[in-house]
C-alpha cells in the first residue's frame, strides 16, 4: 500500500498526522488485499446476501455458520472455524439511522446505496450480540438536499475555509466532525460552501479534479479568476466573501490567531490568494455510523452481559464502541484494518469443527 510522504491535517483529523494514499478512492487498499487473497486462493463470492447467523440455539452455544440468499436460492454455509462479520455500517439504512438520530432526517448519504446496510448487524442481535453507541452518527460534507454531487475540497484543513451564503466563515475548519456538522446545519440554508485557491486545487488528485469538473458542468462547483467573480457564480454575497478572505489572509494568517473560531495556529499557515479560485457546495451527508456490535479486544462479539458469543467475530464499521461519539478523520483504519487483522487471526485459531 503506497502513501504520499507529505503529512497533513485532514478534515476532522484534529492533528497533522494524515498521509494520503497514492491511489484515490480506496483503490490502493483493495489492490493490496485482492493480491493477498489471490495468492492464498481465497474465493470471493458476490451476490450472496447473509440473512441469518446460525448458532446452536438462538442465544447459546457456538456459532456454526450463516444462511444466505443467492441467485440460485437459499444457501447455508457451515463455518469450519469462526465467522467474521464485516458487513459495514448502516448510513444507507434510513430507518435505522433516523431511529437513532432524528437530526439526520432528510440528509443524503455518501455511502453506496446499499439495500443490505444493517442486515448483518441485526442478524447478530438475533443470536445474542449487543449493540453500543447506535446514536453516534457522523455526517460530513457532501451534496446538500436536492443537489447531486459530493465534491470534496475541504480535506486539507489548513488550506480551505467554509463560508455561508453571506460569505461569512462559520467554524474552525480543523474542528471535530460533529462540530463542523452542527455549524453547517445551523446555517439558515443547512448547507455551506468550501473555498480554496489554485495552489490547493492543484494539490488534489485526478478523482477530485474530475468531480469538480463535473460539478462545474451542473452548477454545483465553480471557478473564477477573482473572489468577487467566484462569489457571483456561487450565488454568495460578493462583498461578504471578499471581506472574509481578506480578513482570513491579512488578519488571521498574518497574526497566526483566529479570534472568530479558534483555528489552531498550525492550521493558519496558508493564505487563499492564488487564483483562479475554486468552490463547491458543502452540505451534510450521513457518512459513518460509530455504533454497532460490541466486541472485546480479541474482536470477539459480546452479548448483553459481556459474555463472548463463541466463534463469532466482527471488524470494521459493523462494530461499535471503537470511536466513541465522533470518529476522527482517517481512523476507520482502526476498526477495519487493525481489528480486521485481529478478527481474522483469532477466527483462524478456533478449533476445526
Ligand atoms: C466517501 C467515503 C470516504 C471515506 N474516506 C475515509 C478516509 O479517508 N479514511 C478513513 O479512515 N475512512 C474513510 N471512510 C470510512 C471507511 O471507508 C469505512 O468505515 C470502511 O470502508 C468500512 O469498511 P468495512 O469493511 O467495515 O465495510 P464496507 O467497506 O462497507 O464493506 C461491507 C461489505 O459488506 C457487504 N454487505 C453488507 N450487507 C451484507 C449482507 N447482508 N450480506 C453480504 N454482504 C453484505 C457490503 O455490500 C460491502 O461490500 C470513508 C467512507 C466513505 C463513504
Amino acid at each position: 500500500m503506497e502513501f504520499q510522504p507529505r503529512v497533513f491535517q485532514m478534515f476532522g483529523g484534529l492533528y497533522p498526522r494524515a498521509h494520503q494514499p497514492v491511489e484515490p478512492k480506496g483503490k490502493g487498499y483493495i489492490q493490496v488485499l485482492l493480491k493477498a487473497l489471490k495468492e492464498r486462493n481465497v474465493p470471493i463470492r458476490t451476490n450472496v446476501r447473509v440473512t441469518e447467523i446460525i448458532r446452536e440455539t438462538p442465544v447459546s452455544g457456538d456459532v456454526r455458520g450463516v444462511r444466505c440468499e443467492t441467485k440460485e436460492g437459499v444457501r447455508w454455509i457451515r463455518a469450519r472455524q469462526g465467522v467474521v462479520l464485516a458487513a459495514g455500517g448502516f448510513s444507507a439504512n434510513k430507518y435505522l439511522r433516523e431511529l437513532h438520530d432524528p437530526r439526520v432526517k432528510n440528509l443524503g448519504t455518501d455511502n453506496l446505496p446499499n439495500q443490505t446496510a444493517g442486515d448483518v448487524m441485526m442478524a447478530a442481535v438475533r443470536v445474542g450480540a449487543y449493540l453500543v453507541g447506535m446514536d453516534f452518527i457522523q455526517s460530513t460534507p457532501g451534496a446538500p438536499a436536492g443537489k447531486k454531487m459530493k465534491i470534496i475540497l475541504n480535506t486539507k484543513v489548513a488550506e480551505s475555509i467554509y463560508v455561508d451564503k453571506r460569505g461569512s466563515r462559520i467554524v474552525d475548519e480543523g474542528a471535530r466532525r460533529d462540530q463542523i456538522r452542527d455549524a453547517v446545519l445551523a446555517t439558515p440554508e443547512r448547507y455551506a460552501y468550501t473555498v480554496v485557491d489554485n495552489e490547493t486545487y492543484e494539490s488534489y488528485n485526478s478523482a477530485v479534479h474530475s468531480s469538480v469538473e463535473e460539478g462545474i458542468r451542473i452548477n454545483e462547483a465553480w471557478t473564477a479568476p477573482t473572489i468577487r467573480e467566484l462569489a457571483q457564480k456561487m450565488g454568495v454575497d460578493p462583498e461578504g466573501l471578499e471581506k472574509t478572505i481578506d480578513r482570513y489572509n491579512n488578519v488571521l494568517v498574518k497574526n497566526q490567531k483566529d479570534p472568530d473560531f479558534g483555528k489552531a495556529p498550525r492550521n493558519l499557515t496558508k493564505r487563499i490568494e492564488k487564483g483562479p479560485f475554486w468552490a463547491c457546495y458543502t452540505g451534510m451527508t450521513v457518512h459513518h455510523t460509530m455504533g454497532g456490535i460490541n466486541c472485546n479486544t480479541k474482536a470477539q462479539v459480546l452479548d448483553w452481559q459481556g459474555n463472548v458469543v463463541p466463534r463469532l467475530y466482527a471488524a470494521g464499521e459493523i462494530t461499535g464502541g471503537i470511536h466513541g461519539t465522533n470518529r476522527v478523520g482517517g481512523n476507520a483504519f482502526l476498526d477495519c484494518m487493525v481489528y480486521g487483522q485481529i478478527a481474522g487471526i483469532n477466527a483462524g485459531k478456533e478449533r476445526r469443527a
Side-chain angles (χ1 to χ4, degrees):
M1 174 69 196
E2 258 191 280
F3 293 90
Q4 293 172 15
R6 183 171 155 241
V7 177
F8 68 101
Q9 180 171 339
M10 87 166 296
F11 156 71
L14 305 182
Y15 295 94
R17 55 185 168 188
H19 286 277
Q20 197 146 18
V22 170
E23 295 282 351
K25 303 232 164 203
K27 223 164 104 186
Y29 300 102
I30 298 299
Q31 281 168 350
V32 169
L33 294 171
L34 274 181
K35 186 165 169 275
L37 291 179
K38 232 182 199 163
E39 283 164 6
R40 289 161 182 78
N41 286 322
V42 179
I44 298 175
R45 299 185 197 167
T46 53
N47 290 309
V48 177
R49 179 178 187 162
V50 173
T51 54
E52 296 296 344
I53 297 159
I54 311 302
R55 196 174 175 185
E56 275 171 26
T57 83
V59 284
S60 71
D62 287 353
V63 163
R64 296 291 193 192
V66 290
R67 176 192 184 275
C68 314
E69 283 167 9
T70 72
K71 280 185 179 155
E72 292 76 37
V74 171
R75 293 284 182 272
W76 307 79
I77 300 180
R78 187 163 65 89
R80 287 199 203 95
Q81 291 169 284
V83 171
V84 179
L85 308 179
F90 57 94
S91 292
N93 184 323
K94 263 177 87 56
Y95 172 72
L96 261 190
R97 68 182 212 211
E98 287 170 20
L99 176 70
H100 291 283
D101 185 356
R103 289 176 305 170
V104 304
K105 201 171 162 107
N106 297 331
L107 299 187
T109 179
D110 62 6
N111 285 205
L112 288 173
N114 182 351
Q115 298 311 314
T116 64
D119 271 16
V120 176
M121 200 181 277
M122 293 307 138
V125 170
R126 293 193 286 277
V127 293
Y130 199 64
L131 305 179
V132 284
M134 292 294 282
D135 49 349
F136 304 148
I137 293 176
Q138 184 166 86
S139 296
T140 55
K147 306 291 175 198
K148 286 198 185 123
M149 291 196 61
K150 176 187 174 84
I151 302 169
I152 292 299
L153 288 173
N154 66 315
T155 313
K156 296 166 186 168
V157 305
E159 303 184 23
S160 54
I161 58 168
Y162 301 120
V163 297
D164 65 10
K165 202 119 188 98
R166 290 141 292 281
S168 307
R169 263 178 88 227
I170 55 169
V171 71
D172 163 16
E173 291 78 9
R176 291 164 52 118
R177 289 183 172 180
D178 48 354
Q179 290 164 348
I180 292 172
R181 171 200 63 199
D182 293 347
V184 170
L185 293 181
T187 63
E189 296 78 22
R190 296 192 86 204
Y191 63 80
Y193 304 83
T194 303
V195 180
V196 299
D197 75 1
N198 198 49
E199 216 169 59
T200 300
Y201 178 75
E202 288 298 337
S203 73
Y204 281 113
N205 60 38
S206 58
V208 173
H209 290 170
S210 310
S211 70
V212 171
E213 281 158 23
E214 175 60 13
I216 289 171
R217 207 181 59 75
I218 62 170
N219 200 31
E220 294 190 10
W222 307 271
T223 184
T226 65
I227 291 291
R228 173 162 281 267
E229 287 165 279
L230 183 75
Q232 281 159 348
K233 285 186 174 174
M234 293 159 71
V236 160
D237 175 26
E239 265 114 60
L241 189 59
E242 274 182 338
K243 248 169 129 179
T244 296
I245 299 276
D246 183 55
R247 178 171 166 75
Y248 186 80
N249 290 341
N250 299 317
V251 179
L252 276 59
V253 175
K254 185 171 169 231
N255 300 335
Q256 291 282 287
K257 205 171 165 134
D258 175 9
D260 305 334
F261 298 104
K263 191 167 182 172
R266 66 169 181 278
N267 288 327
L268 289 169
T269 49
K270 164 109 185 45
R271 289 165 193 265
I272 299 172
E273 63 182 353
K274 295 197 175 123
F277 299 93
W278 301 79
C280 62
Y281 278 122
T282 299
M284 280 291 131
T285 52
V286 180
H287 177 70
H288 188 94
T289 47
M290 273 77 71
I293 299 171
N294 196 27
C295 298
N296 62 18
T297 53
K298 293 180 179 159
Q300 291 171 302
V301 171
L302 303 178
D303 69 14
W304 68 279
Q305 292 171 304
N307 298 318
V308 166
V309 176
R311 300 167 83 89
L312 187 60
Y313 296 83
E317 206 175 321
I318 198 169
T319 60
I322 308 273
H323 302 287
T325 56
N326 176 66
R327 178 171 71 83
V328 172
N331 275 16
F333 223 84
L334 282 181
D335 41 348
C336 298
M337 302 294 173
V338 176
Y339 274 101
Q341 196 168 46
I342 292 171
I345 288 170
N346 289 335
K349 283 185 189 159
E350 292 283 1
R351 80 195 131 69
R352 286 188 170 256

